Amino acid sequence: MVTLEDVARHAGVSLATASRVLNGSARQVGAGLRAKVEQAAAELGYRTNVAAQTLARGAGNVIGLVVHDLVDPYFAAIADGAVRAAEAHGMVVMVGTTHRDPAKEIAYVSSLGAQRARAVILAGSRTDDPSAAGLRAELDRYRNGGGRVAVIGQDLLGTDTVAVANRSGAAALAEALTAMGHRHFAILAGPPRLITAVDRCEGFAAALPGPAPQIIHGPFDRDGGHTAAHSIGPDVTCVFAVNDVMAVGALAAFRERGIRVPEDVSLAGFDDIATLRDLVPALTTVRLPLADLGARAVELALADDDGPTVVHVEGEVVIRESVRAR
Amino acid sequence: MVTLEDVARHAGVSLATASRVLNGSARQVGAGLRAKVEQAAAELGYRTNVAAQTLARGAGNVIGLVVHDLVDPYFAAIADGAVRAAEAHGMVVMVGTTHRDPAKEIAYVSSLGAQRARAVILAGSRTDDPSAAGLRAELDRYRNGGGRVAVIGQDLLGTDTVAVANRSGAAALAEALTAMGHRHFAILAGPPRLITAVDRCEGFAAALPGPAPQIIHGPFDRDGGHTAAHSIGPDVTCVFAVNDVMAVGALAAFRERGIRVPEDVSLAGFDDIATLRDLVPALTTVRLPLADLGARAVELALADDDGPTVVHVEGEVVIRESVRAR
DNA sequence: CTGTTAGCGCCTTCAT
DNA sequence: ATGAAGGCGCTAACAG
């Protein structure tokens, strides 16, 4: 491994000069020496040792991203946006997947702290229960060490956050559906303590003028939607799944039972997952700028503002074939 | 930031002892001191400084993963497997997305070299053209620096590789389709120089007993399949898209033109993307253990064998509704 | 503008 | 089993 010192010697300059041209920011080196150094570096095949650099500088160039599941297109899209934004800032991202295990989430934050990561981005909403205390403590520790934290979802950790307007988005969807003549709804509501799910569910229900909707809880994924769909009451004309992936599960369940969408029942989701755009019937949903969410979180975490900043992101109702007017 | 030295002082032991307790491998420290150190570390909230550790040890704990696009479920699944496997080895994964830009691929490998990454995993097949020379050079440099590299796809870089049996998988599919009575095929073949695409296309074509198939080139993604599908000849009874995502595009194109699948034409893909499992009609395809691909690549790269190891992975033909017997 | 010189935090022989 | 001391490769004041 060739070191900076090798380069300096080879170029006949001091270590400091070599450092300045190869890594330093303010370019205060004469053109002659600069060229010599650059050539020497090229000839020797020098590579910066990031570990040494990080140690000396006291700050690294990694951004940590913690998601539940990369296979879930929701998180994949967020990760994509985050990676792009990080790259634009000359940072690299380290991803951790928790598969919904709170302990792993904590472990990742801890690990990222050890890496002296510049920032950590948490995607996937925190569940409302006490186990979150551990995470909170770990995050505080991380921040005390000088790290920045940004959360995608809701503002409840007192950090920078990209807040998704789940309530109002769901409400807007409810209104659109109501305007199309629907009165009897069922909500595939997801886990009773998952804040994102609860917000969407409540926002939707609260905006309904007619009778209270049937609420069916279950897992936040495809199979959760599939299972929940089996419990839907007979007079329901429109089903709202709190995310697109669940809606897909519901769609499959309906198909299995010979229930046609949208002829027999209308169906709507939330997120507008791109990979699902070719589904038939096309899913009515609330579009979220997923990649943006990730990118903005990175921007927030990297901006050196003082207090926690909260950015609000609205969804947009998109009516497609899976819903039919009554 | 509390350092190891702080911990040592607080525990009344030497720096070396503290190091051995907190990070070293062979545990050669007395129970008494060990306890003291652990308590001190806990009280002070000590966190290993990975950068310092990496510098001192000369080797870090990061594995680099370079993919084209995290939003593509194919890569997302691979990334998922890689992250899990890495975690099992106490490593973390840094992902880079190239969005099919060869220059970015090189840049990432370079960056990972600077990070002294333990290994880099390259997913997404190398294109056959000369621009690959740059990548090759960069990889050699990386390996000369002591890094391991593993490739997912085909064995052509002389590195550890998880080789996907694209040819034989496609051939098996062709045979199955032929056995169902199909004779006139079209292949949505992807880019003419993308090895994975070419192998699948050729493997399929070579296994056909009847007339030569119509071959239509285009991008390797959803829109590529969509566009290519418009050029399909009138007598074709079965279409093979070289990956599932392209098949989805083709499906959409058929739908737009009122061509029914599988009544009017049969359709098959490759990969068996889980997210697409609920498509209607369900896609006939060749199943690949995607997450395994990523995990195995990590295992390969981490195993300290001597020469390059090549692991072969077979696909499995899965017949679903999108194909109908003639 | 360029060179000297301390560290950054940890690991690891080498003695004891 | 434990401690002392020299680096790992780079950056960042300080001097010239």
Side-chain angles (χ1 to χ4, degrees):
Chain A
M1 269 289 111
V2 7
T3 73
L4 232 204
E5 193 173 349
D6 297 331
V7 175
R9 192 184 352 265
H10 193 78
V13 303
S14 77
L15 217 199
T17 297
S19 172
R20 289 192 266 254
V21 5
L22 263 17
N23 305 308
S25 50
R27 44 100 124 102
Q28 40 207 346
V29 173
L33 292 193
R34 165 175 294 283
K36 270 182 178 340
V37 172
E38 279 164 346
Q39 190 189 332
E43 286 181 15
L44 268 40
Y46 169 74
R47 330 240 48 173
T48 297
N49 183 324
V50 175
Q53 197 167 261
T54 298
L55 178 57
R57 292 219 254 245
N61 70 328
V62 355
I63 289 181
L65 172 66
V66 182
V67 301
H68 288 317
D69 183 1
L70 274 178
V71 173
D72 183 329
Y74 173 83
F75 293 113
I78 287 177
D80 180 59
V83 170
R84 292 198 201 220
E87 186 182 337
H89 286 270
M91 309 258 132
V92 296
V93 356
M94 262 178 178
V95 281
T97 56
T98 68
H99 295 283
R100 310 208 172 268
D101 177 350
K104 287 178 81 172
E105 195 159 31
I106 294 174
Y108 266 114
V109 173
S110 170
S111 165
L112 288 165
Q115 304 276 353
R116 298 299 185 272
R118 205 56 150 277
V120 2
I121 314 290
L122 257 31
S125 60
R126 235 94 318 303
T127 185
D128 199 10
D129 69 57
S131 80
L135 211 213
R136 204 174 190 116
E138 193 61 47
L139 285 175
D140 285 342
R141 228 171 127 185
Y142 174 71
R143 290 198 287 175
N144 287 335
R148 310 270 312 179
V149 174
V151 172
I152 296 176
Q154 48 282 315
D155 174 22
L156 35 65
L157 259 37
T159 64
D160 283 334
T161 114
V162 178
V164 177
N166 288 310
R167 279 200 130 76
S168 64
L173 178 63
E175 283 159 19
L177 264 18
T178 297
M180 291 176 79
H182 288 281
R183 289 295 176 275
H184 298 280
F185 293 90
I187 304 180
L188 310 188
R193 320 204 45 143
L194 189 64
I195 301 182
T196 296
V198 171
D199 283 352
R200 291 177 182 179
C201 178
E202 292 183 356
F204 189 90
L208 258 26
Q214 178 189 5
I215 294 182
I216 308 166
H217 290 287
F220 204 52
D221 52 25
R222 185 266 181 205
D223 289 345
H226 186 269
T227 304
H230 285 297
S231 311
I232 290 170
D235 51 346
V236 167
T237 68
C238 184
V239 174
F240 168 49
V242 294
N243 72 41
D244 278 2
V245 178
M246 290 178 68
V248 169
L251 197 55
F254 289 143
R255 192 175 307 121
E256 290 159 13
R257 294 196 295 163
I259 299 173
R260 295 165 304 165
V261 175
E263 290 81 356
D264 301 325
V265 65
S266 288
L267 176 64
F270 204 111
D271 287 342
D272 196 27
I273 300 295
T275 318
L276 268 23
R277 221 94 96 183
D278 285 306
L279 216 60
V280 177
L283 220 47
T284 286
T285 188
V286 177
R287 171 179 301 160
L288 249 30
L290 264 11
D292 259 29
L293 259 36
R296 289 205 198 178
V298 168
E299 303 294 353
L300 271 190
L302 254 30
D304 44 25
D305 41 24
D306 20 281
T309 305
V310 178
V311 171
H312 290 274
V313 175
E314 300 286 333
E316 175 196 359
V317 174
V318 182
I319 302 293
R320 299 209 186 91
E321 317 159 10
S322 70
V323 168
R324 169 167 300 186
R326 282 285 157 153
Chain B
M1 268 289 111
V2 6
T3 74
L4 232 204
E5 193 173 350
D6 297 332
V7 175
R9 195 187 347 268
H10 193 78
V13 303
S14 76
L15 216 199
T17 297
S19 171
R20 290 192 266 253
V21 172
L22 264 15
N23 306 306
S25 50
R27 45 101 126 101
Q28 42 208 349
V29 173
L33 292 193
R34 163 174 296 282
K36 269 185 186 323
V37 171
E38 279 164 346
Q39 189 189 334
E43 285 181 16
L44 269 41
Y46 169 73
R47 329 239 50 169
T48 296
N49 182 324
V50 175
Q53 198 168 260
T54 298
L55 177 56
R57 291 218 254 245
N61 71 326
V62 355
I63 289 181
L65 172 66
V66 181
V67 300
H68 287 317
D69 182 3
L70 273 178
V71 172
D72 183 331
Y74 173 83
F75 292 113
I78 287 177
D80 180 60
V83 170
R84 291 198 201 222
E87 186 182 337
H89 286 271
M91 310 257 130
V92 296
V93 173
M94 261 178 177
V95 281
T97 56
T98 68
H99 294 284
R100 309 208 173 270
D101 178 351
K104 287 179 81 172
E105 196 160 30
I106 294 174
Y108 265 115
V109 173
S110 170
S111 165
L112 288 165
Q115 304 276 352
R116 297 300 185 273
R118 210 46 156 281
V120 0
I121 314 291
L122 257 31
S125 59
R126 233 93 322 302
T127 186
D128 201 7
D129 70 59
S131 80
L135 211 212
R136 206 176 190 113
E138 193 60 48
L139 284 174
D140 285 343
R141 230 170 126 186
Y142 175 71
R143 289 198 289 176
N144 287 335
R148 310 271 310 180
V149 4
V151 172
I152 296 176
Q154 49 283 314
D155 175 21
L156 35 67
L157 260 36
T159 65
D160 283 334
T161 114
V162 178
V164 177
N166 288 308
R167 280 198 129 76
S168 64
L173 178 62
E175 284 159 19
L177 264 20
T178 298
M180 291 176 79
H182 288 282
R183 290 295 175 275
H184 299 279
F185 294 89
I187 303 180
L188 309 188
R193 321 204 45 142
L194 188 64
I195 301 184
T196 296
V198 171
D199 283 353
R200 291 178 183 179
C201 178
E202 292 184 355
F204 189 90
L208 257 26
Q214 176 188 6
I215 294 183
I216 308 166
H217 290 287
F220 203 51
D221 52 25
R222 185 265 180 206
D223 289 344
H226 186 269
T227 304
H230 285 296
S231 312
I232 290 171
D235 52 345
V236 167
T237 68
C238 184
V239 174
F240 168 48
V242 294
N243 73 40
D244 278 2
V245 178
M246 289 177 68
V248 169
L251 197 55
F254 289 144
R255 192 175 308 121
E256 289 160 13
R257 294 196 295 163
I259 298 173
R260 294 165 305 166
V261 176
E263 291 79 357
D264 301 324
V265 65
S266 288
L267 176 65
F270 205 112
D271 287 342
D272 196 27
I273 300 296
T275 318
L276 268 23
R277 220 94 96 183
D278 285 304
L279 216 60
V280 177
L283 219 48
T284 286
T285 189
V286 178
R287 171 179 302 160
L288 251 30
L290 265 11
D292 258 29
L293 260 36
R296 288 203 198 178
V298 168
E299 304 292 354
L300 271 190
L302 255 29
D304 44 26
D305 40 24
D306 19 281
T309 306
V310 178
V311 171
H312 290 274
V313 175
E314 300 285 333
E316 176 196 357
V317 174
V318 183
I319 302 293
R320 299 210 186 90
E321 315 160 13
S322 69
V323 169
R324 169 166 300 186
R326 284 281 156 155

